[in-house]
């Protein structure tokens, strides 16, 4: 079984793509929390952030496995090369991977208080979504907007876990800017979710938001999410205000918007899909901009 897990991970969870995304999520979002928190004069990431980062790297693999279990009927029809329909792994292999991985992460986070509770909520909500799909066929696969509404809270809950870890490390309490930073992360993730499924001519039966929003509508909505994320981050960092933590440096959060803007422009010019490299690069670039702002404004990690 361990061998099958390894073969599955190589195919379904390529580290060259997933590692930059998950590490950037953990470190960059923590940097944004530090950047918008006036109580933090100098950001010094430590062992708590390392635990958060490992949790996200492993946790996203488990999410991928559970998602493959949920989508196996769809994948048999539309993506037979995926590991589950191709026979690389069996459903019980992925269920065992999810169970063992979840136990490991809960043990890793034991003693982290609210952060451990937040992680448990992530697992509980994800399990409920998978169960509703496998046992009741809900939500209907023909309603992509409902699918998005059901799945998006998973990203938000993971970001709240990152926030809980930051608060524990800094001995802080939740604040409005911190919670709004979670919204920034959710908007950035929504841009990626919409962008990676933006296609001009969907295949018959393909799950894509284009069926609900149309090609141009999906492209513009994805771009709008990136702009909204940058705008909210700017409002939190207030780079124009000499008394704000993000004075001057905060303008850097606008730079990553160039990636989805270029993707939308190419799509409008006739590209059949949003360009893959631009689409995948946006979220890590967004978090890198948060890290750069915190590095400049908070003196950088010591």
């Amino acid at each position: 079984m361990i061998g099958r897990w390894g073969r599955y991970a190589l195919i379904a969870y390529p580290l060259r793509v997933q590692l930059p995304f998950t590490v950037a999520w953990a470190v960059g979002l923590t940097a944004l929390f530090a950047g918008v928190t006036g109580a933090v004069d100098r950001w010094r990431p430590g062992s708590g952030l390392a635990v958060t980062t490992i949790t996200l790297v492993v946790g996203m693999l488990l999410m991928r496995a559970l998602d493959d279990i949920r989508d196996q009927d769809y994948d048999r029809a539309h993506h037979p090369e995926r590991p589950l329909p191709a026979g690389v792994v069996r459903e019980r292999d992925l269920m065992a991977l999810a169970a063992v991985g979840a136990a490991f992460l809960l043990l890793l986070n034991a003693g982290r208080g609210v952060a451990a509770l937040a992680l448990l909520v992530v697992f509980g909500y994800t399990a409920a979504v998978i169960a509703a799909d496998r046992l009741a066929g809900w939500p209907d696969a023909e309603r992509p907007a409902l699918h998005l509404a059901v799945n998006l809270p998973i990203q938000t809950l993971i970001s709240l876990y990152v926030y809980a870890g930051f608060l524990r490390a800094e001995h802080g309490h939740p604040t409005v800017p911190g919670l709004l930073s979670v919204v920034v992360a959710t908007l950035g993730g929504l841009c990626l979710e919409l962008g990676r499924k933006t296609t001009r001519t969907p295949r018959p039966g393909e799950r894509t938001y284009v069926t609900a929003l149309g090609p141009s509508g999906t492209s513009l909505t994805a771009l709008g999410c990136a702009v909204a994320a940058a705008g909210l981050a700017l409002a939190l960092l207030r780079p124009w205000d000499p008394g704000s933590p993000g004075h001057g440096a905060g303008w850097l959060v606008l730079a990553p918007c160039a990636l989805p803007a270029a993707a939308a422009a190419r799509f409008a010019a006739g590209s059949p899909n949003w360009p893959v490299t631009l689409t995948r690069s946006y979220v890590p670039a967004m978090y890198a901009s948060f890290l750069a702002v915190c590095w400049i404004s908070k003196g950088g990690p010591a």
Side-chain angles (χ1 to χ4, degrees), residues 78-169:
H78 299 280
H79 299 289
E81 75 284 358
R82 294 288 304 165
L84 200 52
V88 175
V89 290
R90 294 167 290 191
E91 181 176 342
R92 62 176 175 268
D93 294 332
L94 297 186
M95 291 294 292
L97 174 62
V100 171
F104 165 73
L105 292 181
L106 289 172
L107 181 62
L108 180 65
N109 283 270
R112 297 189 77 203
V114 177
L117 179 60
L119 181 63
L120 190 60
V121 172
V122 171
F123 289 148
Y125 184 85
T126 303
V129 170
I130 300 298
D133 181 87
R134 298 299 292 166
L135 299 178
W138 185 90
D140 189 337
E142 301 302 319
R143 302 176 66 184
L146 181 58
H147 260 275
L148 181 61
V150 170
N151 292 331
L152 192 60
I154 296 175
Q155 290 192 33
T156 303
L157 289 171
I158 293 173
S159 294
L160 285 170
Y161 160 75
V162 177
Y163 188 36
F166 166 77
L167 292 176
R168 181 174 181 83

Side-chain angles (χ1 to χ4, degrees), residues 263-284:
R266 291 190 188 180
F267 187 72
S271 175
N273 307 295
W274 263 40
V276 174
T277 301
L278 293 174
T279 304
R280 288 178 175 173
S281 300
Y282 162 66
V283 169

Side-chain angles (χ1 to χ4, degrees), residues 44-60:
R44 295 178 175 85
S47 59
L49 180 56
V51 171
T52 295
T53 303
I54 293 169
T55 299
L56 260 64
V57 171
V58 176
M60 292 306 291

Side-chain angles (χ1 to χ4, degrees), residues 2 32 48 53 65 68 73 91-92 111 124 141 154 167 193 199 213-214 228 230 261 290 297:
I2 294 176
L32 180 60
T53 303
D68 278 347
D73 294 336
E91 181 176 342
R92 62 176 175 268
I154 296 175
L167 292 176
E193 172 65 14
T199 180
L213 299 174
F290 301 157
S297 64

